[in-house]
């Protein structure tokens, strides 16, 4: 047990040491004191960075262990190892559970949206501004103005986006069999990059039905859709009409179904249906059934993202009798524009430059400085190419100032994308990844962008110019768990319910009447109340971005 004299002596010694340390003038708080801590002396920082550290990391997308070759190389360069946490069930449920229990991993990758905002509002993620200013030179260089756009209402950054920056790359379009297009007399337009008018498109559908009433004894259908992917259907048809995520009018934002062009779109789709040009089973098609139909040679066109047709295109190529015509047997994406719509303003490629996920540092992290330095390395060009290309001298080489992938790397992904990614670690994790090319002109996304197959190449040629940044419209709706969020759900469900009914109405008059009925239900549900929230949030965002 301590005596009073001993206690006084100890206090005196502590005070003396403190005074002497203060006179030294070089003392700084430890580097792991958090976001308000100053950095240690350079020698101290180097010592800290040379010490191995391990972080728990929740990744909503990938649960692989951080021990593949790319992971080991990242650890070698940063002295940081990760214990990846990823639920076997629903990531959203796991995220909500962790937040409620306050059992948080050190670093988190969360999809942008309600749950990420919930984490920020609860103070579960720490602000990164001071950390970036002191320890994030690569983050500042690579993200640039994007850091302004990912700020929260309080002006602080709580996460780093991935797949950020607007990429001129296509999404939706109208896909048609190239070989059949040539047989129908439009060979000059199959790969010249020119759009089709809606009349030209309808004419092709009719000609197909007339020229091929049956194939292998089965009736043909000019066009079918994937009933399990309504977003691809509406995204394609809205694209041809130039419809944006919101209808801006009278200084405010309205739901896109109030855009006069939306009703024009419904009338057009209904006319295709009543003329027998659309598969009568389209709304109930499951993905597998849809793919089988497209691979059967009894269908000419669809509306979708071009990458969703990989399976039917592979089957069609294999079935081609003439090896020289294998590529022509596939579905290729084209731009179709509605009457009065400027082809340059078609909206097939609506996408946000703010990215998919947010990578943040939780309040449970005991060493946020090391964590931000780790993220700063990943955000750098070196980190980007390491995550997405693999290891220099093993997976790729630098030749004449450019990154050049090794043939075996490309071949490995062509043979088994998922298996090769798991084996090598290349493109397994996409934290802090930026869209577009690096400083040498090669794309950061090796496997997705370096080599282009014929379908992707034509998609870029026909539709890349329809890429439009929708970042200003991201997540303008009400916060989750609020009464307005219930209204939002009801509105979405109502539109989803009426969309197929309008398309498959027996006449245009019935289609319009069904649209009017939908609009009345939406008003009763409270759509005008939502639109005030959209407008208010939109104006606040534009002000924040100044």
């Amino acid at each position: 047990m301590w005596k009073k004299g001993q206690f006084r002596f100890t206090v005196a010694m502590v005070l003396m040491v403190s005074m002497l340390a203060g006179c030294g003038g070089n003392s700084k708080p430890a580097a792991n004191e958090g976001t308000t801590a100053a950095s240690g002396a350079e020698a101290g920082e180097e010592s800290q960075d040379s010490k191995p550290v391990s972080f728990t990391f929740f990744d909503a997308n990938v649960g692989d262990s951080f021990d593949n070759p790319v992971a080991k190389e990242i650890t070698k360069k940063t002295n940081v190892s990760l214990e990846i946490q990823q639920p076997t069930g629903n990531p959203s449920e796991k995220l909500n559970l962790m937040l409620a229990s306050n059992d948080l991993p050190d670093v988190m990758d969360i999809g942008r949206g309600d749950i990420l905002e919930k984490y920020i509002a609860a103070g579960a993620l720490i602000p990164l501004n001071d950390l970036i200013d002191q320890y994030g030179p690569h983050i500042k260089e690579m993200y640039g103005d994007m850091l302004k756009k990912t700020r929260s209402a309080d002006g602080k950054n709580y996460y780093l986006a991935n797949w950020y920056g607007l990429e001129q790359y296509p999404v939706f379009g109208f896909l048609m069999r190239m070989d059949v297009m040539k047989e129908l007399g439009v060979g000059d337009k199959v790969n010249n990059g020119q759009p089709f008018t809606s009349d030209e498109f309808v004419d092709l559908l009719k000609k197909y039905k007339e020229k091929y009433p049956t194939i292998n004894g089965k009736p043909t259908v000019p066009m079918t859709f994937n009933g399990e992917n309504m977003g691809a259907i509406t995204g394609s048809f809205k694209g041809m009409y130039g419809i944006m995520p919101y209808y801006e009018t009278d200084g405010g934002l309205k739901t896109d179904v109030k855009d006069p062009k939306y009703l024009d779109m419904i009338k057009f789709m209904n006319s295709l249906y009543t003329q027998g040009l659309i598969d009568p089973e389209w709304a109930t098609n499951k993905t597998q059934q849809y793919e089988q139909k497209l691979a059967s040679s009894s269908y000419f066109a669809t509306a979708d993202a071009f990458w969703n047709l990989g399976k039917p295109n592979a089957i069609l190529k294999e079935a081609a009798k003439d090896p020289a015509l294998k590529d022509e047997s596939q579905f290729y994406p084209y731009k179709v524009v509605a009457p009065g719509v400027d082809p340059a303003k078609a909206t097939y490629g609506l996408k946000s430059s703010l990215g998919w996920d947010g990578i943040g540092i939780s309040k449970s992290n005991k060493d946020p400085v090391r964590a931000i330095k780790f993220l700063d390395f990943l955000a750098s060009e070196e980190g980007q190419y390491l995550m997405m290309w693999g290891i220099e001298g093993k997976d790729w080489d630098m030749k004449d100032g450019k990154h050049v992938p090794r043939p075996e790397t490309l071949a490995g992904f062509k043979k088994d994308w998922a298996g090769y990614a798991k084996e090598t670690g290349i493109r397994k994790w996409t934290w802090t990844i930026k869209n577009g090319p690096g400083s040498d002109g090669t794309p950061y996304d090796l496997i997705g962008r370096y080599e282009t197959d014929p379908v992707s190449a034509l998609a870029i040629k026909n539709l890349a110019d329809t890429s439009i940044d929708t970042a200003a419209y991201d997540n303008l709706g009400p916060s989750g768990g609020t009464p307005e969020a219930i209204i939002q759900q009801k509105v979405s469900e109502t539109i989803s319910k009426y969309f197929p009914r309008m398309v498959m109405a027996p006449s245009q008059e019935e289609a319009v009447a069904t649209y009017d009925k939908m609009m009345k239900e939406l008003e009763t549900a409270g759509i005008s109340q939502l639109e005030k929230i959209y407008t208010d949030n939109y104006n606040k965002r534009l002000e924040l971005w100044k």
Side-chain angles (χ1 to χ4, degrees), residues 385-523:
Y385 281 108
L386 176 53
M387 283 194 288
M388 304 298 280
W389 284 59
I391 301 168
E392 182 177 6
K394 176 178 175 289
D395 304 305
W396 60 272
D397 300 290
M398 187 67 79
K399 296 180 180 179
D400 299 323
K402 285 185 175 291
H403 291 76
V404 179
R406 291 195 170 185
E408 57 267 29
T409 302
L410 298 175
F413 274 97
K414 287 179 181 178
K415 183 180 180 180
D416 181 5
W417 180 312
Y420 199 71
K422 188 177 184 68
E423 174 190 335
T424 62
I426 301 171
R427 208 181 192 270
K428 197 63 184 174
W429 294 286
T430 57
W431 311 314
T432 71
I433 290 300
K434 184 177 185 178
N435 281 318
S439 58
D440 68 351
T442 55
Y444 292 128
D445 185 4
L446 168 64
I447 305 307
R449 299 291 180 266
Y450 186 81
E451 283 194 338
T452 306
D453 62 274
V455 173
S456 300
L458 192 58
I460 293 169
K461 186 175 184 178
N462 288 340
L463 292 155
D465 65 344
T466 65
S467 296
I468 297 174
D469 192 358
T470 60
Y473 302 119
D474 276 11
N475 304 314
L476 292 181
S479 301
T482 62
E484 292 79 13
I486 298 174
I487 297 175
Q488 178 71 73
Q489 183 177 352
K490 177 63 175 176
V491 165
S492 298
E493 289 172 350
T494 300
I495 295 172
S496 297
K497 176 180 72 175
Y498 274 99
F499 175 70
R501 296 181 187 180
M502 293 185 289
V503 173
M504 296 189 289
S507 67
Q508 185 175 113
E509 291 74 22
E510 280 290 318
V512 173
T514 306
Y515 171 83
D516 291 339
K517 185 178 179 182
M518 176 185 75
M519 296 309 296
K520 288 180 181 178
E521 280 196 27
L522 291 176
E523 289 299 338

Side-chain angles (χ1 to χ4, degrees), residues 222-260:
M223 196 173 198
T224 190
F225 309 127
N226 184 354
E228 286 191 308
N229 192 354
M230 289 290 177
I233 304 168
T234 57
S236 298
F237 280 94
K238 287 178 183 179
M240 71 177 285
Y241 279 85
I243 296 174
M244 293 291 286
Y246 293 93
Y247 175 47
E248 294 194 43
T249 181
D250 299 327
L253 297 186
K254 305 291 184 183
T255 309
D256 62 1
V257 297
K258 291 188 178 180
D259 188 327

Side-chain angles (χ1 to χ4, degrees), residues 8 16 33 79 112-113 135 145-146 153 180 225 235 383 408 473 477 489 512-513:
R8 291 193 188 102
M16 186 180 297
E33 288 296 316
N79 281 312
R112 291 183 58 252
Y135 308 108
D145 286 343
M146 192 58 59
V180 177
F225 309 127
E408 57 267 29
Y473 302 119
Q489 183 177 352
V512 173

